[in-house]
Amino acid sequence: MRRTPVAATIAALSAGVVAVALAQPSTAAAAAADPYSWKNVRIDGGGFVPAVVFNPGEKNLIYARTDIGGAYRWNESDQSWTPLLDWVGQNNWGYNGVLSIAPDPVDTKRVYAAVGMYTNDWDPNNGAVLRSTDKGATWQVTTLPFKNGGNMPGRGAGERLAVDPHNNKNVYFAAEGGNGLYRSTDYGATFSKVTSFPNAGNYVQDPSDTNNYLNQNQGLAWVTFGAANQVFVGVNDKANPVYMSNDGGSTWSRIAGQPTGYLPHKGVVQGDFLYIATSDTGGPYDGAAGQVWKYQISTGAWTNISPTPAADAYYGYSGLTVDQEKPGTLMVATQISWWPDAIFFRSTDYGATWTRIWDWNGYPSMTKRYTMDISADPWLDFNSNPQPPESTPKLGWMNETLAIDPFNSNRMMYGTGATLYGTTNLGNWDAGSTITIKPMARGIEETAVLDLASPPSGAPLVSALGDIGGFYHASLDAVQPSFHDTPSLSSNTSLDFAELTPTVFARVGNADAAPHIGISTDGGKSWYQGQEPSGVTGGGTIAVGADANAMVWSPQGTGVYYSTTRGSSWTASSGVPTGAVVESDRVNPKTFYAYAAGKFYTSKDGGATFAASAASLPSSGRLHFQAVPGAAGEVWLAGETGLFKSADAGATFTNVSSVTAGVNVAFGKAAPGRSHPAVFLVGTVDGVTGVFRSDDTGGSWVRINDDAHQYGNAGDALAGDPRVFGRVYLGTNGRGILYADRTTNATTPTGSTSSPTPTPTSSSPSPSPSPSPTVSSPGPTPSPTTPAPGGCTATYKITGSWSGGFQGEVTVANTGSSATKSWTVTWNYTAGQTITQLWSGTVSQAGAAVKVTNASYNGAVAAGASTTFGFLGSTTGATNPVPSPVTCSATR
């Protein structure tokens, strides 16, 4: 999974031989902490799994590494994976790129990981080797004098990191970038270069690449061990791919007679044989030719045991594994064979003969030694229905890892570009029956999250993701059946919904060609293709007006456009630069916002024209802004120099003094007794970087994550839940989507010391030509009802007012002993007020009499629970009294 990260505010480590090991950071004191529970929104997989590694010294001890999502350890009891690197934070986010992982086969509590995401300047830090003495529960860090490339070309080779089974103090690391071979003799505490090793590799995929991504020397590929003092190293040098030491690494020699012309992706020793799998490129997403060879260590003889003659193949080989319980049994995978599918080969006679996982049976018919069951992760069919001989789901692609359990010949796992699969009846292959392949990725979450939306109705979350598009998450704890489709937009870069008509969504993405936009009228569950302006090359950002009657789109490849036809036609906006980030006001349908290069822009005519603000804002670094639901003209912006908020539609901004740096800001359900939505921040408060919540508009903060839950490069996607107080959704670049809820022993809302009461925020509203509610004095005291014959109460309050209009909210509470099926709230106005718009309910008004019934999704209210509906209204006089009584009735 190739990702280009945004800038991080950290300095590169200076080069040296090897730095002294660093302990993991301890929790720092800053803003008060609020106890939270963090969980992944389940997708299961979503990205490339370069390696799964069984510890040969302990049954069921299995590790997996990913290119941008950290490392994992297998839990046999519930068949899931535990993430091991969630402590990685914003200052060392590259550690979530795991280039290699090495379990200690002697002292099985020990495990090592070589980390670092990029060898170019995308990652400002040098690489490191992490070491653990408790199976990855905690780690210590030894920095290296060079960078590692866990998400660089060649990352599927390996394993580059290996523990000597004959003397487990010795840990070898085969480095990239021409840095050669390194070794530790003290369990990974320090490393030094093996100066006697003669070849640092020379393979470069594309020397002319101006992005510095394809033009690095891919260096060494793997280390493995034979008998005592025998060490083998694979080198990315097509003329000299394999070296050997017979004296524990003191001296080295190129093995005579070795095959040439290819790169050694994998090297595995079983007994007297070294097996290697080769390809013509470093992979993992290319490779058109390769071979498999066997080297008999005692005689020095090489034998070509390739399953298919090179002249007939269209793929290289990788994913090499042996069965430790059955000498002579080995398997190998095609490195990349997209059409019609990947191929796995199996031999039980040391590679003399092979069988395939599928064979042709009169084109396009195939016979298969397997069946696939993706019921656990049904989206793995990729919403596809290909013509034979292709099938869905595919066995996979980018099959750089294939591993047979050393304690159980029936279990095999393998990685793909999207997930991790496995089987537990591998022996059926040799018996002539079929094996069953299923996803085995539960707990591995490796999506890059580009945008999140939590609407007030429908699914709790809708996501925009890299590569697999995103999901309508009807449940946070269950894998959804399919990702966004029809249209499929490849990586989805942005999505938005109409705050007051939340069934209407728009999403945009980076498809190679049109379409680049999809529209939904059912809350993001299903989509239809929108039209687009000429010149669009990528998704950019999209904003949907509060009432769904206008949209503003800032795509890649052309300027900013607006639509009043829900995306069926577009007109160029004026006054706003190409590439600006766009957002919508959450109350006023005509107001839209944009930001570019330190300038903030506002449109008050539905996106037709924008005017620049004079406000001074950050001009570089990571920056995001969002408007506040229920408060017209209120918008907050998080940037590298702090957190800024505006109450006048971006004309002016004030700084939140306690925040010294920001990445993103979002809003969720208000704390009990509060009128303003809770504010969520990814940023730095009181000198500590983390995820924070404020219930008093930034006056005070609580940290809601801790140092064990930092998730690397996180926060470019962030959303608060408007229905669950305290819940926040955090997007990461590689660890998927996290959602967090307050635990039962959480503190009172921020800014409170006891039961909170409403804290009004005063402002001087500046109505635009179309009335724009702004947060102001909430007016008279809310009017609660007394329990009515249906066992429910309704509390009416005014949350904002301006000349000629106001905004209100009613909380419906179930005071009965069983859940309601429906509810009705009524009141009479006394000063000529009129409801002009209402959400989360259905309203009728006859003169002064108002009647509101539940919406389809909030009529069922559990005993002791509550729900809310909101509205906009107009006034004709100088007063706006709260009606009394406000009655509530319910059916059960």
Side-chain angles (χ1 to χ4, degrees):
M1 185 179 296
R2 182 177 174 181
R3 297 278 173 261
T4 304
V6 292
T9 55
I10 47 180
L13 297 176
S14 58
V17 177
V18 173
V20 177
L22 303 175
Q24 287 177 227
S26 58
T27 303
D34 205 5
Y36 261 69
S37 171
W38 289 81
K39 296 174 61 177
N40 268 108
V41 176
R42 278 194 66 193
I43 294 171
D44 288 8
F48 179 38
V49 181
V52 55
V53 181
F54 288 81
N55 188 321
E58 182 175 334
K59 186 176 181 180
N60 298 324
L61 182 53
I62 316 167
Y63 296 92
R65 63 177 173 94
T66 67
D67 51 3
I68 65 171
Y72 295 81
R73 185 185 63 242
W74 177 252
N75 299 304
E76 182 69 16
S77 60
D78 63 358
Q79 305 286 288
S80 71
W81 297 89
T82 295
L84 302 178
L85 301 183
D86 285 350
W87 54 270
V88 171
Q90 299 279 2
N91 65 333
N92 56 3
W93 54 264
Y95 287 6
N96 272 336
V98 184
L99 180 65
S100 187
I101 194 162
D104 187 329
V106 180
D107 181 356
T108 58
K109 291 182 179 180
R110 295 183 182 271
V111 63
Y112 303 85
V115 298
M117 202 168 290
Y118 298 101
T119 59
N120 57 19
D121 60 3
W122 297 348
D123 188 341
N125 285 336
N126 279 0
V129 174
L130 311 181
R131 64 189 192 278
S132 173
T133 58
D134 52 14
K135 300 181 180 180
T138 61
W139 299 85
Q140 289 184 302
V141 182
T142 298
T143 55
L144 296 169
F146 49 80
K147 295 184 178 184
N148 290 334
N151 196 30
M152 295 292 287
R155 58 192 180 273
E159 288 298 294
R160 287 178 163 93
L161 197 62
V163 179
D164 187 343
H166 308 290
N167 183 354
N168 67 325
K169 290 183 178 180
N170 296 335
V171 183
Y172 284 82
F173 178 47
E176 307 158 285
N179 290 300
L181 182 66
Y182 276 69
R183 178 175 55 204
S184 171
T185 58
D186 54 9
Y187 298 104
T190 61
F191 281 81
S192 59
K193 189 171 185 177
V194 181
T195 56
S196 61
F197 191 79
N199 190 343
N202 60 18
Y203 174 74
V204 177
Q205 182 172 336
D206 181 2
S208 63
D209 178 33
T210 57
N211 288 321
N212 294 323
Y213 183 74
L214 304 177
N215 59 355
Q216 78 144 348
N217 177 358
Q218 294 187 19
L220 308 187
W222 44 263
V223 178
T224 193
F225 304 93
N229 294 319
Q230 288 181 344
V231 189
F232 299 89
V233 177
V235 179
N236 285 311
D237 176 349
K238 292 183 179 181
N240 307 283
V242 187
Y243 287 77
M244 179 181 181
S245 173
N246 277 310
D247 54 12
S250 295
T251 61
W252 300 85
S253 61
R254 177 188 185 276
I255 301 178
Q258 64 182 263
T260 60
Y262 299 104
L263 302 175
H265 274 238
K266 301 290 178 181
V268 180
V269 171
Q270 184 187 49
D272 192 31
F273 294 100
L274 166 70
Y275 299 94
I276 65 170
T278 70
S279 178
D280 60 344
T281 73
Y285 37 75
D286 56 0
Q291 297 175 336
V292 182
W293 286 78
K294 176 177 66 177
Y295 172 67
Q296 189 165 11
I297 301 170
S298 60
T299 65
W302 286 94
T303 305
N304 185 342
I305 58 170
S306 303
T308 307
D312 298 334
Y314 53 91
Y315 42 75
Y317 295 96
S318 192
L320 177 68
T321 185
V322 298
D323 187 335
Q324 297 291 358
E325 293 191 319
K326 297 179 179 180
T329 295
L330 63 153
M331 295 180 68
V332 71
T334 52
Q335 176 194 330
I336 179 72
S337 171
W338 175 258
W339 187 93
D341 208 342
I343 312 171
F344 300 153
F345 303 89
R346 181 173 171 89
S347 174
T348 57
D349 55 9
Y350 297 90
T353 60
W354 298 85
T355 52
R356 294 163 48 121
I357 198 167
W358 59 265
D359 287 289
W360 294 113
N361 185 26
Y363 184 88
S365 179
M366 302 163 71
T367 58
K368 299 179 178 180
R369 289 184 169 86
Y370 72 96
T371 59
M372 294 199 76
D373 176 5
I374 61 166
S375 57
D377 300 327
W379 62 266
L380 285 167
D381 66 2
F382 276 73
N383 301 331
S384 63
N385 186 25
Q387 293 295 313
E390 284 194 82
S391 60
T392 185
K394 285 181 175 288
L395 283 166
W397 63 99
M398 295 165 64
N399 303 118
E400 294 271 22
T401 185
L402 188 72
I404 299 173
D405 187 338
F407 296 92
N408 180 359
S409 297
N410 271 315
R411 178 159 65 177
M412 180 264 289
M413 295 183 182
Y414 71 93
T416 76
T419 193
L420 190 148
Y421 283 113
T423 182
T424 57
N425 60 349
L426 184 58
N428 285 4
W429 183 315
D430 301 330
S433 56
T434 58
I435 66 174
T436 300
I437 295 174
K438 298 181 179 182
M440 290 188 175
R442 181 169 185 172
I444 293 179
E445 296 290 343
E446 205 207 347
T447 50
V449 187
L450 304 182
D451 206 359
L452 296 171
S454 182
S457 61
L461 185 69
V462 184
S463 62
L465 307 176
D467 295 335
I468 60 172
F471 292 84
Y472 175 91
H473 299 275
S475 169
L476 304 177
D477 300 316
V479 177
Q480 298 305 293
S482 60
F483 49 74
H484 299 319
D485 197 24
T486 316
S488 175
L489 308 178
S490 185
S491 291
N492 283 215
T493 59
S494 175
L495 79 166
D496 194 19
F497 63 91
E499 187 71 37
L500 306 181
T501 310
T503 53
V504 178
F505 265 77
R507 62 181 173 90
V508 292
N510 284 343
D512 291 337
H516 295 97
I517 184 169
I519 308 296
S520 174
T521 58
D522 60 3
K525 188 174 184 179
S526 61
W527 303 83
Y528 64 87
Q529 180 179 330
Q531 300 302 308
E532 59 190 68
S534 62
V536 174
T537 59
T541 55
I542 186 82
V544 181
D547 64 357
N549 288 323
M551 297 179 181
V552 175
W553 186 13
S554 178
Q556 292 180 4
T558 187
V560 178
Y561 284 77
Y562 73 97
S563 172
T564 58
T565 58
R566 292 192 180 176
S568 63
S569 61
W570 296 89
T571 304
S573 302
S574 64
V576 61
T578 296
V581 177
V582 295
E583 295 281 354
S584 66
D585 192 88
R586 310 314 287 180
V587 175
N588 191 324
K590 294 289 187 178
T591 302
F592 288 84
Y593 307 108
Y595 167 90
K599 287 287 187 180
F600 197 83
Y601 302 81
T602 302
S603 171
K604 295 188 177 181
D605 56 8
T609 62
F610 283 81
S613 166
S616 177
L617 295 170
S619 60
S620 62
R622 298 166 72 182
L623 183 146
H624 299 83
F625 67 95
Q626 291 196 35
V628 180
E634 186 175 350
V635 59
W636 294 49
L637 182 147
E640 64 179 0
T641 58
L643 179 64
F644 306 83
K645 58 182 179 178
S646 172
D648 53 13
T652 61
F653 283 85
T654 58
N655 178 257
V656 179
S657 60
S658 58
V659 180
T660 54
V663 171
N664 209 339
V665 63
F667 305 94
K669 182 178 176 63
R674 301 282 187 180
S675 59
H676 192 280
V679 185
F680 295 98
L681 170 73
V682 177
T684 304
V685 176
D686 297 332
V688 172
T689 299
V691 186
F692 299 86
R693 191 191 79 243
S694 175
D695 302 318
D696 56 3
T697 64
S700 59
W701 299 89
V702 291
R703 188 184 183 193
I704 62 175
N705 75 322
D706 55 38
D707 286 353
H709 300 87
Q710 299 191 75
Y711 308 112
N713 191 12
D716 286 306
L718 187 71
D721 194 306
R723 290 173 270 184
V724 180
F725 168 61
R727 177 176 290 176
V728 66
Y729 304 96
L730 176 69
T732 73
N733 186 41
R735 269 289 285 123
I737 308 167
L738 283 303
Y739 77 98
D741 284 318
R742 303 170 77 228
T743 58
T744 55
N745 61 336
T747 64
T748 56
T750 60
S752 301
T753 56
S754 59
S755 299
T757 56
T759 303
T761 301
S762 299
S763 65
S764 299
S766 301
S768 62
S770 176
S772 303
T774 57
V775 175
S776 62
S777 173
T781 303
S783 174
T785 67
T786 56
C792 66
T793 63
T795 303
Y796 179 114
K797 65 179 178 180
I798 297 170
T799 59
S801 61
W802 58 96
S803 177
F806 68 100
Q807 181 172 340
E809 180 181 87
V810 174
T811 299
V812 179
N814 181 2
T815 59
S817 58
S818 61
T820 65
K821 294 181 179 179
S822 63
W823 47 260
T824 301
V825 175
T826 61
W827 66 82
N828 287 290
Y829 281 125
T830 59
Q833 302 100 316
T834 301
I835 301 294
T836 59
Q837 189 170 16
L838 185 138
W839 52 95
S840 300
T842 301
V843 64
S844 61
Q845 183 171 358
V850 177
K851 177 181 178 181
V852 180
T853 57
N854 59 273
S856 60
Y857 54 83
N858 64 355
V861 182
S866 64
T867 188
T868 62
F869 62 86
F871 54 90
L872 299 179
S874 63
T875 57
T876 58
T879 62
N880 181 25
V882 171
S884 182
V886 180
T887 64
C888 180
S889 61
T891 62
R892 301 186 191 284

